[in-house]
Amino acid sequence: ERQLQELQLQASKTDAEQKAEIQVLRATAADLRTEKTRAESTLVSQRQANLEVHRLVDGQRREAEDKDRRMGRARNLVQQWERRCAVVSRQLQDERKRNQELTQ
């Protein structure tokens, strides 16, 4: 009789321990689900931020390329004007020489 009571007591302790363990595992599972949801949300936010950064970088790259093209065009125009100025300058020098020759 006494052994039976001890076995029942042990069984009830084991049952209570198992129930407590199950509650702990359920709470842990709930915490893990919450953490997973938070991590997924953070990942989505990071992806959106990365997309925004890429969009901004692409915009800056296009602006830099446009600037380079405009600078190239401006350089070409300056070179054209420099060549024209050189031609006009030579023409003026030739004209001065002719004028000097005529006046002498």
Side-chain angles (χ1 to χ4, degrees):
E1 181 75 26
R2 188 166 178 211
Q3 262 185 332
L4 181 61
Q5 286 177 346
E6 283 180 27
L7 286 174
Q8 286 175 338
L9 182 63
Q10 283 179 348
S12 67
K13 280 184 185 178
T14 304
D15 191 37
E17 287 171 354
Q18 285 179 343
K19 285 181 181 177
E21 218 175 293
I22 289 170
Q23 286 178 334
V24 168
L25 290 174
R26 283 184 179 151
T28 302
D31 289 345
L32 289 173
R33 280 192 297 275
T34 301
E35 191 175 322
K36 178 186 172 202
T37 302
R38 202 175 303 130
E40 287 171 343
S41 175
T42 300
L43 183 61
V44 167
S45 296
Q46 287 174 342
R47 284 181 180 157
Q48 289 172 341
N50 284 344
L51 288 173
E52 180 67 13
V53 166
H54 285 296
R55 188 184 67 73
L56 291 171
V57 167
D58 286 345
Q60 289 176 341
R61 181 185 44 78
R62 279 193 295 279
E63 283 179 26
E65 288 170 352
D66 289 346
K67 218 179 257 185
D68 285 346
R69 275 193 292 279
R70 286 192 306 270
M71 287 297 292
R73 278 187 241 132
R75 247 183 259 110
N76 288 340
L77 287 173
V78 167
Q79 289 171 351
Q80 287 174 5
W81 277 106
E82 286 172 343
R83 286 192 294 271
R84 287 178 188 168
C85 288
V87 168
V88 170
S89 178
R90 278 193 302 273
Q91 288 172 344
L92 282 172
Q93 285 175 353
D94 292 346
E95 192 67 30
R96 284 187 191 127
K97 277 184 186 177
R98 269 185 257 141
N99 285 340
Q100 282 180 348
E101 290 170 359
L102 289 175
T103 57
Q104 289 177 352

